[in-house]
């Protein structure tokens, strides 16, 4: 992850120096370079791919403790119950989420009530 993001930041720095600009995002610097004819098609494809990989790396494994999937609560297989009989599945979700985090949920954490 660190290598992809470092390469993204380095490329942004290089383009800003080359163009004499101060863009905060690589996509904006690339768009400027393409529009002004400072970047050819091959470099554009290369930088777009670098930017896509780095942005994807920033979002990998960001769940609790690196978990990739959210906690799911489902009714037992084959049983379809009316809404009133389902009980407090939201409370159960909050209880399981707190158990997954190994701590109580904080006041400002998302609640589904």
């Amino acid at each position: 992850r660190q290598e992809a993001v470092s390469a993204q930041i380095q490329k942004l720095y290089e383009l800003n120096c080359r163009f004499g600009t101060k863009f905060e995002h690589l996509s904006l610097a690339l768009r400027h370079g393409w529009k002004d004819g400072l970047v050819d098609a091959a470099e554009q494809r290369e930088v777009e791919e670098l930017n896509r990989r780095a942005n994807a790396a920033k979002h990998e494994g960001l769940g609790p403790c690196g978990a990739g999937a959210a906690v799911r609560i489902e009714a037992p297989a084959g049983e379809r119950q009316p809404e009133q009989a389902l009980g407090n599945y939201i409370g159960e979700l909050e209880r399981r989420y707190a158990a997954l985090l190994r701590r109580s949920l904080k006041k400002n954490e998302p609640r589904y009530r």
Side-chain angles (χ1 to χ4, degrees):
R1 175 186 294 184
Q2 183 179 358
E3 295 82 21
V5 176
S6 293
Q8 180 187 41
I9 293 168
Q10 179 62 36
K11 183 53 88 170
L12 174 60
Y13 176 77
E14 289 172 13
L15 292 179
N16 274 330
C17 288
R18 198 164 102 195
F19 305 154
T21 58
K22 294 183 180 181
F23 288 107
E24 293 182 5
H25 301 284
L26 184 55
S27 60
L28 297 176
L30 184 60
R31 187 179 311 149
H32 169 80
W34 178 255
K35 189 177 92 177
D36 289 358
L38 304 170
V39 174
D40 63 12
E43 185 179 13
Q44 181 187 16
R45 283 190 302 274
E46 177 187 325
V47 174
E48 282 178 346
E49 180 58 30
L50 168 71
N51 198 38
R52 196 174 0 264
R53 278 195 320 268
N55 287 340
K58 292 175 190 176
H59 298 279
E60 287 176 358
L62 292 180
C65 304
V71 176
R72 294 187 61 161
I73 309 245
E74 298 178 9
E79 289 185 26
R80 181 75 178 162
Q81 301 174 357
E83 248 179 69
Q84 298 82 9
L86 290 177
N88 187 359
Y89 272 21
I90 293 171
E92 178 67 9
L93 176 64
E94 290 175 357
R95 187 189 67 72
R96 287 195 184 189
Y97 188 56
L100 179 70
L101 294 174
R102 297 184 184 146
R103 63 173 174 76
S104 298
L105 295 179
K106 296 177 185 168
K107 226 177 190 181
N108 60 349
E109 287 185 299
R111 294 278 201 299
Y112 301 98
R113 295 193 189 275

